[in-house]
Amino acid sequence: MSDFIMPSMGADMDSATLVEWKVKPGDRVKKGQVIAAVETSKGALDVEVFEDGVVEEIYVPEDTEADVGTPLARIGDGKGVGKQPSEVAEKAEPTATPEAEKPPTVEQPPVTETPAPTASGTAIKSETRHDQPEPKPPSPPPSPPAAEKTDLRSRVWASPAARRRARKAGIPLSGLHGTGPDNAIVLRDLQDTPPTTTETRPGTGFDRPQMRAAIAAAMSRAKREIPHYYLATTADLHAAEQWLADYNQHQPPENRLLLSALFMKATALALARYPELNGHYGEDGFVAAGQINLGMAVHLRGGGLVAPAILDADTLTLPELMHRLRDLVRRARGGGLRASEMGGGTATVTALGDRGVDTVYGVIYPPQVAMIGIGRARRRPLAVNDGVAVRLAVDLSLAADHRVCDGHLGALFLNEMDQLLQQPEAL
Amino acid sequence: MNRDELRKAVLEELSSIAPDIDMTTFDDTANLQDAYDLDSMDALNLAEAVHKRLGVNIPDQDYARMRSIAELLDYLTEKL
């Protein structure tokens, strides 16, 4: 028996709002199954369970914000189903997550403006926190409605269907008058409400001020704590371009590759050779990661940034990698990213793309230790043999953590990437 | 399928790729990359959507030359 907890979703997130349970007590779950959805400053994420079992009790109701590490539900063998639910507020106290490891808090950005409540009912977090790592005392009898007892945040009552529609349409529940039981908001209360502003337009799926605050927190921490060093080199893409054109010539669009896939694969293979750039820097210093989960900074249309990871990127073939890349970008923009993808990156690539600039100097995403930058691939004069040729070329850059390695190693890494790109057929 | 129907279908697909674009004021002749911030992945997704919906598999080298929706519609009109 164990608790299903609010997972970590990156260094810049220390809490999230549980917006949907996809299971109920008594349901059997399988390892890897998505059982809940949470709303974060970076949009909605699906959360998977990491064991087989039966959902015995749900501790945290929908639309409740909870810190990373908070138990959300109990997963067991099924014998404990139907046990009295514990008091919600008790369960949702901050838990075993060591305070020192917590990233800067996102809820209180040093700005005077308070973001308006969002569709998901994200409310200002309660200031009352008690450090209480002890197991919960015996549960008092439940007193419905349970959430009234929660001191975590104000709760708006609404039916799941109404909640879903409101979320989709970007309508804040807090502004509605409920006509259901206990003044709960039901579907009919949403009927006359027009969808709102571009800020919450379908497809964007994230709260802009919140995301800005999350990026600010992570990047401030990076620049405060990580002594970055920066390197860049130019890679000739002539061979890659030729190979790609040949490959794509007879492929339907769904099977075509983009240069991005080659860049990601070259990065992953180079990281495998230089493990000092792949891992996390924590309280006890640097720990190299056992696998290469390559994060990719995805620019969200309308502003904003997320960096979900492609797990085990070095083991994927180019077509597999391309498929994952497209899937990840689609889900980053349209919703459906998983918590494991958000929290699992071991190094990250940022590519500014066709409308970018020649060189990008990245800021490391803590607790990672390297950010690999891919500039815009464009034609430029290069020295080839004894002459000058106009070639497609790209600037590769590296921002790395000087606590872990030095420029010598970083240079070897970038040169390795360059070499790998000269043999695209081997990627 | 006439050009208006074709345009409607293509813009519907584009809208699902880039929901933030206002289709009511869409400029067919504008450069998709510069005016609407479509990147190479978006462009590839549009080619895939066109292939699935209209059955036209635009070869990569032809597709790379298209800069606007008007050019895409010209090409599709010829093929359909």
Side-chain angles (χ1 to χ4, degrees), chain A residues 9-285:
Chain A
M9 288 153 289
D12 47 356
M13 264 182 259
D14 62 356
S15 71
T17 303
L18 194 140
V19 290
E20 187 180 359
W21 279 111
K22 297 176 192 286
V23 292
K24 56 185 188 312
D27 284 359
R28 187 160 283 282
V29 294
K30 277 200 144 6
K31 186 180 175 197
Q33 181 181 343
V34 171
I35 67 168
V38 298
E39 189 85 26
T40 71
S41 52
K42 299 192 170 178
L45 297 178
D46 290 336
V47 186
E48 316 101 295
V49 64
F50 289 101
E51 61 184 324
D52 293 341
V54 173
V55 180
E56 294 191 337
E57 182 187 350
I58 281 176
Y59 303 138
V60 175
E62 289 183 351
D63 220 26
T64 306
E65 188 172 345
D67 289 337
V68 167
T70 304
L72 303 175
R74 188 178 64 243
I75 310 290
D77 55 12
K79 290 186 185 131
V81 179
K83 246 187 65 181
Q84 287 292 344
S86 355
E87 193 201 349
V88 169
E90 194 57 54
K91 268 294 177 183
E93 287 294 344
T95 52
T97 318
E99 277 298 320
E101 269 200 18
K102 287 202 168 180
T105 216
V106 173
E107 281 77 25
Q108 296 101 358
V111 288
T112 45
E113 257 184 30
T114 310
T118 61
S120 58
T122 312
I124 304 303
K125 276 188 75 168
S126 164
E127 299 295 315
T128 51
R129 286 186 172 203
H130 318 284
D131 283 311
Q132 203 174 21
E134 294 298 313
K136 65 184 165 79
S139 318
S143 48
E148 264 181 11
K149 300 208 74 172
T150 176
D151 63 351
L152 285 180
R153 52 218 85 250
S154 59
R155 170 157 162 84
V156 179
W157 287 93
S159 71
R163 212 172 274 287
R164 212 165 295 129
R165 177 173 301 182
R167 209 155 46 231
K168 268 198 160 148
I171 301 164
L173 286 176
S174 50
L176 294 176
H177 174 69
T179 60
D182 288 333
N183 294 329
I185 294 157
V186 290
L187 263 186
R188 64 171 173 267
D189 300 323
L190 282 151
Q191 239 111 64
D192 302 327
T193 319
T196 45
T197 67
T198 48
E199 194 68 30
T200 47
R201 214 161 166 152
T204 50
F206 60 93
D207 180 288
R208 202 159 306 161
Q210 251 199 342
M211 180 176 282
R212 260 328 339 145
I215 295 171
M219 295 300 98
S220 302
R221 178 181 161 197
K223 283 287 186 171
R224 196 170 50 240
E225 295 178 5
I226 305 174
H228 290 61
Y229 72 81
Y230 304 95
L231 305 172
T233 193
T234 301
D236 185 346
L237 293 179
H238 182 69
E241 185 187 28
Q242 300 277 314
W243 181 86
L244 200 61
D246 282 350
Y247 181 90
N248 283 342
Q249 195 176 0
H250 302 293
Q251 301 286 348
E254 50 272 29
N255 294 343
R256 285 176 202 160
L257 302 178
L258 293 174
L259 270 175
S260 328
L262 277 63
F263 294 143
M264 294 292 281
K265 186 70 189 285
T267 306
L269 291 177
L271 284 171
R273 178 140 181 214
Y274 296 98
E276 294 90 340
L277 296 170
N278 184 60
H280 293 158
Y281 195 97
E283 280 190 337
D284 301 321

Side-chain angles (χ1 to χ4, degrees), chain A residues 226-231 276-277 362 364 369-371 398-406 409-410:
Chain A
I226 305 174
H228 290 61
Y229 72 81
Y230 304 95
L231 305 172
E276 294 90 340
L277 296 170
I364 298 168
V369 299
M371 172 68 77
L398 171 71
D401 188 333
H402 223 325
R403 294 172 299 185
V404 183
C405 68
D406 306 318
L409 182 128

